[in-house]
Amino acid sequence: HIIDAVYNDTAISDYILNKDWNKYDELMVYLKNHKLPLSGDYYLLGAQTKDLQTLNHEISHGLFYTNKEYQKEMKNLVKNLPNKITKLFNQWLKNNMYHRSVWIDEMHAYLSTGLVDSQKDLFKEKKIDIKTIRKPFIKLFKQYNADIV
């Protein structure tokens, strides 16, 4: 399950070293260690605010890990991004302490649900029309998210 994949010993060490560990991470480790009686595929998500963009971002992660068709289609979109976009995104993710194993997932989540200001600034600085590039990601997310809401 996803909790096992994300909250493994290496990831926990990375979080602690980067001082990004918080009470919600503690809760996830507790849930992982106590093996909730859930069956089948599931994805536990959390959003601290009522911000719809944040909630949709987390929903996109849930879809990515629980819906293989969605994951396949999003991976294909990411794979077909211009090299310049991929390199910029990867550098931003690295600079913001994202583990390499989640870069494709994070890239798809940001492109489908909204960029943060520092990403917008980066693409603007490089004169990249990110709005056009995001369109197929947004369309696909809305297509799959319509089944949830």
Side-chain angles (χ1 to χ4, degrees):
H1 287 98
I2 300 311
I3 291 177
D4 292 331
V6 173
Y7 289 93
N8 59 44
D9 292 337
T10 302
I12 289 170
S13 296
D14 287 348
Y15 276 120
I16 292 169
L17 285 173
N18 294 320
K19 297 183 171 103
D20 191 24
W21 193 259
N22 60 52
K23 65 183 177 181
Y24 304 105
D25 293 305
E26 293 289 340
L27 176 61
M28 292 296 186
V29 170
Y30 175 84
L31 294 172
K32 174 190 175 222
N33 291 338
H34 289 84
K35 304 288 183 194
L36 293 178
L38 300 172
S39 61
D41 288 338
Y42 64 90
Y43 184 89
L44 184 61
L45 66 87
Q48 192 170 359
T49 68
K50 294 181 181 178
D51 175 33
L52 187 58
Q53 182 175 329
T54 301
L55 183 58
N56 280 332
H57 182 95
E58 297 306 323
I59 289 170
S60 74
H61 290 309
L63 284 167
F64 192 81
Y65 286 105
T66 61
N67 187 317
K68 295 304 175 196
E69 184 72 21
Y70 176 85
Q71 183 183 84
K72 180 181 175 184
E73 291 184 56
M74 282 297 187
K75 280 183 173 181
N76 192 46
L77 288 176
V78 170
K79 178 181 155 195
N80 289 305
L81 284 169
N83 230 11
K84 184 176 183 177
I85 304 295
T86 304
K87 285 182 180 181
L88 283 172
F89 241 114
N90 287 346
Q91 189 60 52
W92 185 91
L93 292 165
K94 182 179 179 180
N95 291 345
N96 285 276
M97 307 298 190
Y98 285 86
H99 191 272
R100 179 180 286 276
S101 65
V102 299
W103 286 2
I104 292 172
D105 176 29
E106 288 297 339
M107 207 178 305
H108 111 272
Y110 282 115
L111 289 169
S112 62
T113 65
L115 304 175
V116 296
D117 289 341
S118 60
Q119 292 166 332
K120 291 175 190 174
D121 293 343
L122 176 64
F123 290 115
K124 186 176 180 180
E125 175 187 312
K126 300 290 184 182
K127 296 179 175 43
I128 295 171
D129 179 16
I130 199 67
K131 287 182 182 180
T132 301
I133 290 168
R134 288 188 58 220
K135 285 181 181 178
F137 289 88
I138 294 167
K139 181 179 178 185
L140 188 61
F141 174 72
K142 286 182 177 179
Q143 176 187 326
Y144 280 88
N145 193 32
D147 294 337
I148 296 172
V149 179

